[in-house]
Amino acid sequence: MAKATEFKTTRALAVALSAALLFSGAAKWPALPSSGFLTGRSAAPEDVDNGTAIFATGQDDQSYGKPLDIEIPQYGYFRQEDKYVIILQAEKYDGKSIIGAETFDGEKVVGLIDEFELLGVHAK
């Protein structure tokens, strides 16, 4: 009976280790960029044009948003599209906290902060 229990325990550990290695994805996470993001101020339309912002608020009346106090850039998970992203912009505008991000395959996405899970600056 002891051998059967040992085998089950060893097998369970092997399966868990294999799953952890397979799904850790550490090698698949891109490095955070050193440029091409916006922090410390709100975006203007020219920031979108030159690629340093995903979106600009208040374009017509010049009443831009305020930067959110979160670390930029950082990794995130966008629940709306079930994708991991790099968060490149975060602003509060008209009472809403808005995130601009890019998926690992280059798609630009925008959503409310509660649609994202903020994952920090270390690759998972």
Side-chain angles (χ1 to χ4, degrees):
M1 188 71 156
K3 285 187 178 186
T5 302
E6 287 175 29
F7 175 74
K8 286 180 182 178
T9 302
T10 303
R11 181 171 179 235
L13 287 172
V15 168
L17 180 59
S18 295
L21 290 173
L22 180 63
F23 295 111
S24 69
K28 298 175 188 166
W29 288 64
L32 290 173
S34 58
S35 63
F37 54 87
L38 192 64
T39 185
R41 66 178 180 82
S42 59
E46 51 271 10
D47 294 314
V48 175
D49 293 341
N50 70 27
T52 57
I54 307 292
F55 64 91
T57 57
Q59 298 169 16
D60 297 328
D61 62 6
Q62 301 299 309
S63 61
Y64 298 110
K66 305 279 186 243
L68 290 177
D69 188 22
I70 67 170
E71 190 155 8
I72 302 289
Q74 71 169 287
Y75 297 104
Y77 177 72
F78 188 39
R79 293 181 194 99
Q80 199 73 5
E81 292 190 17
D82 191 28
K83 292 185 177 182
Y84 288 99
V85 297
I86 295 177
I87 296 171
L88 302 172
Q89 182 182 359
E91 295 184 26
K92 186 167 194 108
Y93 180 73
D94 197 27
K96 296 176 177 77
S97 296
I98 306 167
I99 299 289
E102 187 171 291
T103 65
F104 290 178
D105 59 2
E107 176 189 0
K108 306 236 188 286
V109 296
V110 175
L112 298 176
I113 196 167
D114 62 354
E115 297 173 313
F116 290 85
E117 182 178 341
L118 306 180
L119 300 175
V121 298
H122 300 289
K124 305 296 177 201

